[in-house]
Amino acid sequence: MITPTAYGLAIVLDVLVLVIGARFLLSPRAAAAGYGVPAKKDGDAAYLTIKGLRDLSYGLLGLALLVFASARAEAWFMLVVALVPLGDTLVVLRHGGTKAVAFGIHFATAVVVLISAALLFAV
């Protein structure tokens, strides 16, 4: 029972990161607002593109690890990549975002990613 849950959660998280990356590339200002720190009208375009590419890359790498490597490789990836939403929590708090977004979205995401890593290590 743990195997389908572990793989299912990992796939959902990887796909969600792909969607977030695509949103930052296709609708960067709306994506930044959803992230918790709205972008300035006259700047930030390069950074929004970088964020989109980063997220797309992480999502693709996570899916590739599941398909071509192993659950253990994906577990290590999830463990390391949990640093990203933890960092995002701090970014939102330091740059005027709300605690609700920082903890309700980014910190909660980090917790779910760590749960995913634990489930994958248990497979």
Side-chain angles (χ1 to χ4, degrees), residues 7 20 25 31-32 56 68 90 94-95 102 121:
Y7 276 93
I20 291 167
L25 293 176
L56 274 174
F68 300 111
L90 297 175
R94 289 190 66 195
H95 294 279
F121 276 124

Side-chain angles (χ1 to χ4, degrees), residues 2-18 58-67 70-79 81 112-121 123:
I2 196 168
T3 301
T5 303
Y7 276 93
L9 181 57
I11 291 167
V12 166
L13 289 171
D14 291 335
V15 169
L16 283 174
V17 172
L18 279 172
Y58 284 155
L60 289 172
L61 178 57
L63 291 172
L65 287 171
L66 282 173
V67 172
S70 66
R72 190 160 194 80
E74 177 76 3
W76 281 108
F77 170 74
M78 289 290 188
L79 191 62
V81 86
V112 173
V113 171
L114 290 171
I115 290 168
S116 178
L119 289 171
L120 288 161
F121 276 124
V123 169

